[in-house]
Amino acid sequence: KNQVEQSPQSLIILEGKNCTLQCNYTVSPFSNLRWYKQDTGRGPVSLTIMTFSENTKSNGRYTATLDADTKQSSLHITASQLSDSASYICVVSAQYGGATNKLIFGTGTLLAVQP
Amino acid sequence: EAGVAQSPRYKIIEKRQSVAFWCNPISGHATLYWYQQILGQGPKLLIQFQNNGVVDDSQLPKDRFSAERLKGVDSTLKIQPAKLEDSAVYLCASSVDRQRVSYNEQFFGPGTRLTVL
């Protein structure tokens, strides 16, 4: 069964601190892995997309890693800011042919950055 | 470039009533998706359109939910009659779906928050 599990479920950190969010998946056939940021009351916005051959990808203070062998990914946030408070969703894409693909969503990690 | 537009942003109805949501995807995006996101969970795909044809509606509760994309652009999602468990955020997304690329990014709208009393 295709599944994406995230941990922790929620996290509170102080402004300026770093944090790492985890994602484990069992998805086949694997196409790519995405991290989305979802602010309260808004739709998800893509942070990074990694294919099978990519181990790490950065987007500003966000760095995602992918270990395709162990089927694990992490999202590291450096020098957190109050605006980083959001839900972070790990999404794995399974591609069954053609250009369309099926996205399997994790339940997200709710991050709160406090001053 | 304008993003995915959705309306209304909020809707409160009583159970057994009907409700409709509207989505306008990014111009030129052939694929349109409707997702249901229950509080504390990730989005769940309800239906996926490629132009005006349905690609995947396997998780759409067809006894009460319906969706259409008549001209391959705008789409409406309807619930009739609504149940308490339908309370959720309904997200619309669109993607270009170019051939021979490793991924096609989905762009999400702000969602419609539905409360069923």
Side-chain angles (χ1 to χ4, degrees):
Chain A
K1 180 181 178 183
N2 288 332
Q3 276 188 317
V4 176
E5 296 182 347
Q6 294 186 243
S7 62
Q9 199 169 25
S10 61
L11 183 62
I12 300 173
I13 62 173
L14 293 177
E15 186 179 12
K17 297 296 184 182
N18 303 335
C19 67
T20 300
L21 314 180
Q22 301 291 342
C23 173
N24 297 334
Y25 63 91
T26 54
V27 175
S28 180
F30 177 88
S31 176
N32 57 74
L33 185 145
R34 316 164 186 214
W35 282 92
Y36 282 87
K37 179 187 179 188
Q38 186 173 21
D39 292 311
T40 301
R42 301 202 171 204
V45 174
S46 178
L47 294 175
T48 64
I49 300 177
M50 289 183 291
T51 58
F52 185 87
S53 58
E54 295 175 297
N55 300 119
T56 184
K57 183 165 281 190
S58 293
N59 178 359
R61 294 179 296 102
Y62 301 102
T63 299
T65 64
L66 174 64
D67 186 333
D69 292 331
T70 62
K71 299 186 177 181
Q72 295 179 327
S73 176
S74 66
L75 180 69
H76 186 76
I77 304 175
T78 303
S80 61
Q81 300 176 358
L82 297 179
S83 59
D84 292 332
S85 296
S87 179
Y88 291 84
I89 306 174
C90 177
V91 185
V92 180
S93 173
Q95 188 152 3
Y96 297 97
T100 58
N101 49 45
K102 187 177 182 69
L103 299 186
I104 296 94
F105 287 79
T107 55
T109 292
L110 185 60
L111 175 66
V113 180
Q114 294 184 341
Chain B
E1 177 182 80
V4 176
Q6 291 188 246
S7 68
R9 292 296 313 277
Y10 306 92
K11 189 74 176 177
I12 300 174
I13 62 173
E14 295 187 347
K15 60 183 180 182
R16 290 187 289 273
Q17 285 188 322
S18 302
V19 65
F21 312 127
W22 173 82
C23 172
N24 187 313
I26 294 173
S27 177
H29 282 196
T31 304
L32 184 147
Y33 313 78
W34 281 103
Y35 291 89
Q36 180 192 60
Q37 187 176 23
I38 293 173
L39 186 65
Q41 299 182 18
K44 182 184 84 170
L45 179 69
L46 293 176
I47 188 167
Q48 176 181 343
F49 292 96
Q50 180 84 11
N51 296 308
N52 60 350
V54 175
V55 174
D56 183 355
D57 64 355
S58 57
Q59 297 194 90
L60 186 74
K62 299 180 185 61
D63 57 333
R64 298 184 301 106
F65 287 65
S66 64
E68 59 182 14
R69 194 185 184 199
L70 293 176
K71 297 182 179 178
V73 181
D74 294 8
S75 176
T76 56
L77 175 69
K78 297 179 182 178
I79 307 175
Q80 180 180 8
K83 293 185 176 181
L84 296 177
E85 57 262 36
D86 297 332
S87 294
V89 174
Y90 290 85
L91 295 166
C92 179
S94 69
S95 64
V96 174
D97 281 344
R98 297 185 189 91
Q99 297 291 329
R100 295 181 298 279
V101 296
S102 59
Y103 57 81
N104 287 285
E105 182 165 358
Q106 293 187 21
F107 295 86
F108 287 83
T112 295
R113 181 176 295 278
L114 173 68
T115 302
V116 182
L117 304 175

